[in-house]
Amino acid sequence: MFADAVGRLPPQPSPTPNHEYRERQQRLTSQFNNEDIFIIAAPHEAVHSNDVHYRYRTSSDIIYLTGWFDPECSLVIRNDEGTWKTCLFVQPKDTLKEIWEGRRPGVEGALSDYAVDEAYSNSELEECLADWFSSSNRVFHRGGVNLHLDALIDEAVRRRDRPRQHFGTGPTVIQDPSPFLAELRLRKSASEIEQMKYASEVSSLAHELAMRHSKNGVNECQLQAIIEGFFSYAGASGWAYPSIVGCGENATILHYTVNNEACKDGEVILIDAGAEYRGYASDITRSWPISGTFTDAQKEIYSLVLKSQEAAIAACKVGNSYTKPHDEARRVLAEGLIELGIISQSVEDALDPDNGELRRWYMHNTSHWIGLDVHDVGVYKPGGTPRTLEAGMCLTVEPGLYFGAWRPDVDCPEQYANIGIRIEDDVLVTADGPVILTDACPKTIEDIQSIVGNQTL
Ligand code: GLY
Ligand code: MN
Ligand code: MN
């Protein structure tokens, strides 16, 4: 069932080359002093039950700096007499463990295949840190991931032993390195964009498959299965966030993830699902009628959301404030809802953040950064001023309108009852204007109506 769609995929891109990881490490350490030491711990594997674990996903920062995906590791970057050294602590090779759980690169694999200068077994971390801390002052570390490591660093800073007293050596400050990493990760390289483009292509085809298999009686979970099955079939590691598959009134619940109801003719389904590929996220929402034909009311709302999304995407331009797409989307939505008689205020009043009626039907932001995390890092308002868009930044554009007839807080107009529409694409800002990474995903009313329901399992 996936063969046709897979045949339409582009070839998978090359992995990020090691020299690029070196450049990223260099851009980070160029902001440090020689007495700084930088430590990131990967999260532990999380237990699902007994000896079964959840799908493992390592630290996005470790992926960004080294491309290492294996669990239970720590990355230390330290200065050794004027030279920065990248040191990876990993699970050592262990034949018995590897027979049960899979092959490990181990210390040898880390050294031979990754952009690291030194590699050690995890069991050596404590001793190495004790040694390296003696010539360190500031420890760049974000706590809360590996509590044992947190305690170790905390103790090193608080220790009042003889070397500290005699020579003044040892760390005195712990500082969160996230702001440095976030600034770097906010601007995507050509290689990162290639990975994101592939994730976007996979997700676009997955949505199209779900459209093709939509018909009266299909269960939300069946459409979810098609989408997520295709993610794996196409070489993605899985979803970038739990899929939202909601039909009828469920389409009006922004982060609905129960995904277990039968879809009926007359209803609109909203699917927000994106694949993760080599750590990179995609994030697409499409909304379509289960019957394959929009009703007049559904068409009115869909056209309005699409118009607002197009205006917002056009605003994803170098030099614009990151708030401009949101402002554009809100303005178009407010004007449209006034024209439809759903809002009875002036445009200006409708947009008022406190008393404007637009909030009743459009209550979320239009954009977020996207990259290694679906809600990617990067401060939106550094120092309180909205960030200016630059080439290489990637953001989603996802306006929506949600008429939940079940809501006790609003009087939902009857003809729009339980219509939930969101249209979401991932956009790369370039010097030549916005590039829609997810443009392969059908979006116009004509395309959607020609696709929905035209394939059976
Ligand atoms: N999929 C979550 C979001 O759109 O932000
Ligand atoms: Mn999103
Ligand atoms: Mn989304």
Side-chain angles (χ1 to χ4, degrees):
M1 71 177 286
F2 293 147
D4 271 7
V6 161
R8 289 165 53 199
L9 275 172
Q12 294 191 32
S14 306
T16 299
N18 276 347
H19 68 79
E20 182 164 331
Y21 292 116
R22 290 287 187 190
E23 285 157 20
R24 295 177 190 175
Q25 295 165 13
Q26 201 274 330
R27 277 202 294 276
L28 179 69
T29 54
S30 68
Q31 303 174 72
F32 293 168
N33 303 318
N34 284 4
E35 297 72 35
D36 292 338
I37 183 164
F38 169 92
I39 308 169
I40 322 179
H44 293 304
E45 289 185 283
V47 174
H48 178 278
S49 65
N50 199 12
D51 57 353
V52 175
H53 293 123
Y54 286 100
R55 175 164 76 98
Y56 186 73
R57 170 57 157 70
T58 192
S59 146
S60 295
D61 289 330
I62 291 183
I63 299 174
Y64 182 75
L65 290 170
T66 65
W68 181 272
F69 284 85
D70 276 36
E72 306 295 331
C73 80
S74 306
L75 174 66
V76 179
I77 306 182
R78 68 190 171 95
N79 194 288
D80 184 11
E81 300 191 352
T83 305
W84 287 101
K85 295 267 172 73
T86 302
C87 313
L88 199 58
F89 292 78
V90 303
Q91 291 179 317
K93 291 194 81 62
D94 178 330
T95 304
L96 187 60
K97 291 264 190 211
E98 291 183 56
I99 286 171
W100 282 92
E101 296 167 5
R103 304 301 306 278
R104 292 177 175 181
V107 170
E108 304 78 358
L111 277 175
S112 60
D113 298 336
Y114 291 81
V116 300
D117 301 298
E118 296 173 4
Y120 302 90
S121 166
N122 281 325
S123 60
E124 297 171 274
L125 179 65
E126 215 160 308
E127 204 181 317
C128 286
L129 283 183
D131 181 19
W132 298 336
F133 278 159
S134 65
S135 54
S136 308
N137 183 347
R138 183 168 52 164
V139 183
F140 277 109
H141 177 67
R142 181 173 177 188
V145 176
N146 177 332
L147 299 183
H148 177 69
L149 187 59
D150 290 358
L152 206 86
I153 294 169
D154 203 42
E155 158 63 14
V157 171
R158 281 189 290 108
R159 191 178 304 135
R160 290 286 169 266
D161 54 11
R162 282 177 63 81
R164 172 67 56 95
Q165 211 169 4
H166 282 244
F167 310 111
T169 54
T172 55
V173 185
I174 303 172
Q175 187 173 328
D176 184 353
S178 309
F180 292 92
L181 286 158
E183 266 320 286
L184 295 178
R185 284 175 48 190
L186 184 54
R187 298 160 185 88
K188 274 65 182 176
S189 70
S191 166
E192 290 186 286
I193 291 162
E194 281 182 29
Q195 318 302 324
M196 292 180 70
K197 180 69 186 162
Y198 190 77
S200 299
E201 297 280 357
V202 170
S203 305
S204 298
L205 282 164
H207 276 260
E208 187 183 316
L209 279 166
M211 287 178 194
R212 292 192 188 283
H213 289 91
S214 290
K215 60 175 184 183
N216 188 42
V218 72
N219 195 292
E220 293 163 350
C221 66
Q222 293 172 320
L223 297 178
Q224 177 184 3
I226 289 169
I227 286 191
E228 293 180 5
F230 185 73
F231 288 170
S232 299
Y233 196 89
S237 49
W239 46 250
Y241 55 90
S243 304
I244 295 164
V245 184
C247 202
E249 75 169 32
N250 300 334
T252 69
I253 299 169
L254 303 179
H255 282 174
Y256 170 83
T257 50
V258 181
N259 304 353
N260 197 20
E261 279 197 46
C263 306
K264 295 192 268 308
D265 276 347
E267 293 178 335
V268 168
I269 186 163
L270 181 156
I271 297 191
D272 183 345
E276 181 183 272
Y277 178 71
R278 294 206 183 117
Y280 286 87
S282 61
D283 186 3
I284 298 181
T285 309
R286 289 293 185 266
S287 315
W288 61 87
I290 287 296
S291 71
T293 309
F294 286 95
T295 64
D296 287 346
Q298 290 165 355
K299 210 178 259 184
E300 284 168 356
I301 302 303
Y302 190 91
S303 307
L304 178 54
V305 175
L306 184 56
K307 187 174 168 197
S308 77
Q309 202 224 16
E310 285 165 350
I313 290 174
C316 294
K317 278 207 212 131
V318 171
N320 274 353
S321 157
Y322 97 93
T323 55
K324 179 93 170 151
H326 186 51
D327 295 342
E328 285 296 303
R330 292 184 83 241
R331 181 187 52 76
V332 173
L333 291 176
E335 288 170 359
L337 292 180
I338 291 168
E339 210 168 297
L340 290 173
I342 298 171
I343 288 181
S344 53
Q345 297 172 308
S346 67
V347 176
E348 196 188 337
D349 288 350
L351 292 172
D352 185 87
D354 299 317
N355 300 312
E357 287 180 23
L358 180 63
R359 284 178 58 236
R360 295 182 187 172
W361 318 113
Y362 181 42
M363 59 296 274
H364 59 77
N365 274 324
T366 302
S367 300
H368 53 81
W369 308 128
I370 182 165
L372 281 166
D373 294 314
V374 64
H375 294 165
D376 207 27
V377 292
V379 177
Y380 290 100
K381 293 186 183 179
T385 309
R387 170 136 6 218
T388 301
L389 294 176
E390 294 172 33
M393 293 180 176
C394 287
L395 66 165
T396 64
V397 179
E398 49 179 307
L401 288 171
Y402 312 92
F403 296 96
W406 55 273
R407 284 170 56 188
D409 61 323
V410 286
D411 282 329
C412 177
E414 215 177 300
Q415 70 271 39
Y416 302 113
N418 290 331
I419 295 178
I421 306 277
R422 177 161 68 252
I423 307 175
E424 175 174 27
D425 282 298
D426 304 343
V427 176
L428 165 69
V429 180
T430 79
D432 300 325
V435 171
I436 305 175
L437 298 174
T438 46
D439 64 348
C441 192
K443 186 160 76 169
T444 63
I445 287 182
E446 300 69 39
D447 283 351
I448 287 175
Q449 292 195 150
S450 73
I451 288 170
V452 170
N454 73 5
Q455 204 168 323
T456 46
L457 284 175

